[in-house]
């Protein structure tokens, strides 16, 4: 894989929740992941809009996720992806993650496309006012089970994309375009089950890129991959980056 990285001009890295499990943030679909505890059906956007009970359940799960994220530190996998950027070997990083760890690891805003938004902010669904997540969580901790906007009374929701909610247009279009035009597409820690994010590796292959998948379990795109590494993201990526740096040599 290191040779492919060194020999490629346009590298897109696509990551999922599996990149952050080594930082102590559970994914959804591994054993013990969040879908062992919660029913995804309860978290459809339409239910959030229409039912106070659904909003309270949503905030309960969102609070649990946020607690695991807010003080988390990047792991070796995040640092390896940030290192790719420093080495000028990253065209863009498409992330399904909402935990903000890429920025803590050193990736820059202009390289990262957050397809599913971020858990670090909260937005009002009516007037779009943006809040710091910590400020709203303080209200939840004091018993406000489904907080509303101070300005207009609208529904507050973490700035993440739920099932049934529209994807962010700019990020999705840009991610698709970059996937189609890259020459190496590296998936790290994603089951590639969630759509439309999982269309990106297919677009990359159709555009002629090599596809590498680093994931502990099977993914929906294994049949398309040029290389599959069924191992942990952090140690795998750290070893690959060491090799890349050796191949690139000093300077
Ligand atoms: P997923 O839960 O569907 O799949 C994660 C995959 O990562 C699994 O196939 C698992 O085998 C693999 N994995 C877990 N730990 C790994 C490790 N250390 N090394 C290598 N592979 C590992 O996750 P997804 O595909 O990202 O989709 C889930 C959705 O959930 C996304 O939309 C994302 O927005 C959201 N989510 C985000 C976070 C986060 O921000 N950290 C956490 C949970 C869920």
């Amino acid at each position: 894989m290191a040779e492919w990285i060194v020999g490629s001009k346009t590298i897109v890295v696509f990551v999922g929740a599996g990149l952050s499990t080594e930082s102590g943030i559970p994914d959804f679909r591994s054993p013990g992941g969040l879908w062992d505890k919660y029913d995804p059906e309860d978290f459809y956007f339409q239910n959030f809009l229409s039912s106070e009970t659904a909003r309270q359940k949503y905030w309960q799960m969102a609070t649990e996720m946020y607690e695991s994220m807010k003080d988390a530190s990047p792991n070796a996998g995040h640092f390896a992806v940030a290192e790719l950027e420093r080495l000028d070997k990253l065209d863009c990083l498409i992330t399904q993650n909402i935990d903000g760890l890429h920025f803590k690891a050193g990736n820059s805003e202009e390289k990262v496309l957050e397809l599913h938004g971020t858990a670090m902010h909260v937005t009002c669904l009516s007037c779009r006012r943006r809040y710091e997540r910590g400020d709203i969580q303080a209200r939840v901790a004091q018993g406000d089970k489904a907080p509303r906007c101070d300005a207009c009374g609208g529904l507050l929701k973490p700035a993440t994309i739920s099932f049934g909610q529209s994807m962010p247009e700019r990020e999705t279009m840009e991610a698709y375009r970059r996937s189609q035009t890259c020459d190496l597409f590296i998936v790290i820690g994603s089951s590639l089950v969630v759509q439309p994010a999982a269309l990106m590796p297919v677009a990359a292959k159709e555009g002629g890129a090599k596809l590498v998948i680093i994931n502990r379990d099977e993914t929906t795109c294994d049949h398309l991959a040029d290389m599959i590494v069924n191992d942990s993201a952090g140690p795998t990526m750290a070893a690959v980056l060491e090799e890349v740096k050796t191949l690139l040599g000093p300077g």
Side-chain angles (χ1 to χ4, degrees):
M1 190 188 326
E3 286 86 357
W4 288 358
I5 290 175
V6 171
S8 297
K9 284 200 174 65
T10 319
I11 301 174
V12 169
V13 175
F14 177 98
V15 310
L19 180 65
S20 293
T21 57
E22 291 164 53
S23 293
I25 302 173
D27 61 13
F28 278 165
R29 291 177 183 79
S30 289
L34 288 165
W35 293 150
D36 277 357
K37 245 173 128 173
Y38 294 96
D39 181 353
E41 296 269 329
D42 284 337
F43 300 99
Y44 279 86
F45 188 54
Q46 277 310 319
N47 297 342
F48 186 91
L49 293 178
S50 60
S51 145
E52 179 67 13
T53 311
R55 284 192 283 279
Q56 292 187 4
K57 268 192 187 173
Y58 178 92
W59 271 100
Q60 193 190 336
M61 182 182 83
T63 298
E64 184 179 334
M65 281 183 83
Y66 179 68
E67 286 303 317
S68 74
M69 287 175 189
K70 69 179 188 342
D71 299 321
S73 301
N75 63 59
H78 296 101
F79 286 120
V81 178
E83 185 75 13
L84 277 181
E85 180 177 338
R86 267 192 297 279
L87 295 170
D88 206 15
K89 279 285 170 193
L90 183 68
D91 181 55
C92 96
L93 167 58
I94 306 172
T95 186
Q96 299 179 93
N97 293 346
I98 54 175
D99 53 32
L101 288 181
H102 304 298
F103 304 114
K104 286 190 188 169
N107 279 118
S108 57
E109 297 269 347
E110 59 269 24
K111 290 281 182 191
V112 181
L113 293 169
E114 291 182 307
L115 279 191
H116 294 165
T118 174
M120 300 301 128
H121 293 105
V122 169
T123 36
C124 169
L125 296 180
S126 299
C127 72
R128 309 310 301 170
R129 181 168 167 183
R130 200 169 150 102
Y131 295 82
E132 284 302 318
R133 180 69 184 263
D135 296 344
I136 302 302
Q137 284 303 142
R139 280 163 55 176
V140 173
Q142 281 161 18
D144 188 351
K145 291 185 177 161
R148 283 177 175 265
C149 180
D150 293 332
C152 76
L155 304 176
L156 290 185
K157 184 177 172 295
T160 55
I161 307 297
S162 298
F163 296 121
Q165 194 171 2
S166 314
M167 297 285 290
E169 202 171 329
R170 182 195 72 82
E171 285 82 354
T172 308
M173 305 264 288
E174 187 65 9
Y176 197 72
R177 189 183 70 74
R178 302 254 187 175
S179 301
Q180 280 178 313
T181 53
C182 68
D183 57 9
L184 179 61
F185 191 95
I186 305 175
V187 175
I188 312 173
S190 176
S191 59
L192 299 175
V193 164
V194 178
Q195 296 291 359
L199 294 176
M200 307 295 167
V202 178
K205 274 305 280 185
E206 284 171 0
K210 285 199 183 77
L211 174 63
V212 173
I213 298 178
I214 302 162
N215 201 58
R216 282 211 288 240
D217 299 299
E218 277 179 13
T219 81
T220 62
C221 292
D222 286 0
H223 61 290
L224 295 174
D226 297 283
M227 184 186 294
I228 299 178
V229 182
N230 289 131
D231 209 339
S232 297
T236 302
M237 284 306 293
V240 168
L241 258 292
E242 276 315 304
E243 222 181 311
V244 167
K245 285 193 278 187
T246 306
L247 289 172
L248 287 174

